[in-house]
Amino acid sequence: MNDIVKTAAGSFRVRLDGPEGAPVLVLSNSLGTTLEMWDAQAERFARSHRVLRYDTRGHGASVVSPGPYSFDQLGGDVLALLDALGIGKASFCGISMGGLTGLWLGVHAPQRFDRIVVANSAARIGTAEGWAARAALVRAQGTAGMAELAASAPGRWFTEAFAAACPDVVRRAQGWLAGTPPEGYAACCEALGQADLRGAIGGIAVPTLLIAGAADPVTTVADAEAMQAAIAGSQRVELPASHLSNLEAAQAFDAALAAFLQAA
């Protein structure tokens, strides 16, 4: 199923793979990408799970409401999707912005999730000033600004070695970013600029896996270590990758995710 689902929070483009009745795994994309970033994981985990992917608000073919957004809103969107699809409980895996959404869900809606995976993320990403400047740039320059960001994205998203070895993957990821609606991107930047869950994640009791990229310049191994110290019982895995580790180190990412989902 690849469709638009209408929820109380707006309309979202979703894709469902895997057998009906199987445990549900929700996959949440990073800033400036679409649900297609999870193609490899959806193929792998649809054997054992009902995999739900969605374009985050402001991205792809999902609702682009005026900004600024907040993580109360982005996390609420996940809950609205679950309600609209009649899903009572799920596991959740988000990367970067999607990982911060996962932390929000762990704090505010733990009863809806069996497990939460937070990949290449942090309880606080960047600075309010940096995100505000990026939002202003994109709003001023529109699609040209998105193209400029896409041109510079490989240095933030992938190691040089991977970019050289897998240019097709890099170009595809750049296409997602270049095609992101400017207002949606800017509004999500503003959500990231205001989000700081460092004081709240200590209350997360849902089993949590933290995935870090050894070469990630955006959300570092130190960020993952800080989250692990704050979230009791959380696990941490370090992968040989930069920021989009599910693309750069897909096999290792899938192995870590599978082991966590299957753990007793």
Side-chain angles (χ1 to χ4, degrees):
M1 171 185 168
N2 194 355
D3 209 349
I4 300 295
V5 172
K6 294 182 179 180
T7 78
S11 296
F12 295 87
R13 174 178 170 247
V14 307
R15 175 152 181 165
L16 279 164
D17 297 285
E20 294 185 22
V24 176
L25 171 62
V26 180
L27 300 175
S28 183
N29 59 285
S30 62
L31 179 68
T33 65
T34 65
L35 62 80
E36 279 79 14
M37 79 171 303
W38 296 110
D39 280 352
Q41 285 71 43
E43 181 178 358
R44 160 68 177 80
F45 288 95
R47 303 169 200 163
S48 56
H49 287 74
R50 183 74 160 159
V51 179
L52 169 60
R53 294 178 278 167
Y54 70 103
D55 289 340
T56 297
R57 176 182 296 270
H59 289 65
S62 287
V63 59
V64 184
S65 55
Y69 302 162
S70 69
F71 276 88
D72 286 352
Q73 192 171 20
L74 299 180
D77 290 342
V78 177
L79 300 177
L81 267 174
L82 295 180
D83 289 345
L85 294 168
I87 298 168
K89 203 163 189 178
S91 294
F92 182 94
C93 176
I95 190 165
S96 192
M97 177 176 68
L100 195 45
T101 299
L103 292 175
W104 186 94
L105 292 167
V107 171
H108 295 283
Q111 73 281 2
R112 300 298 296 271
F113 298 94
D114 297 306
R115 297 173 189 276
I116 292 173
V117 180
V118 178
N120 299 87
S121 194
R124 175 76 173 125
I125 302 176
T127 66
E129 296 77 15
W131 288 117
R134 192 183 296 190
L137 172 73
V138 168
R139 284 205 176 94
Q141 297 186 358
T143 55
M146 296 309 302
E148 181 181 324
L149 284 173
S152 64
R156 298 187 299 274
W157 283 357
F158 305 107
T159 62
E160 288 185 14
F162 180 83
C166 301
D168 290 348
V169 176
V170 175
R171 281 193 294 269
R172 190 175 185 224
Q174 288 177 293
W176 298 328
L177 181 52
T180 301
E183 175 59 25
Y185 185 91
C188 283
C189 286
E190 290 166 330
L192 287 160
Q194 296 305 311
D196 187 350
L197 296 180
R198 288 175 293 184
I201 61 173
I204 294 177
V206 181
T208 302
L209 172 65
L210 308 163
I211 298 178
D216 188 346
V218 180
T219 50
T220 64
V221 171
D223 288 321
E225 291 172 340
M227 290 188 288
Q228 185 181 25
I231 303 171
S234 59
Q235 303 174 38
R236 179 172 58 86
V237 174
E238 187 175 321
L239 302 183
S242 186
H243 190 57
L244 297 188
S245 64
N246 74 305
L247 296 176
E248 182 165 350
Q251 187 172 357
F253 188 100
D254 291 357
L257 179 54
F260 182 67
L261 294 175
Q262 294 165 5

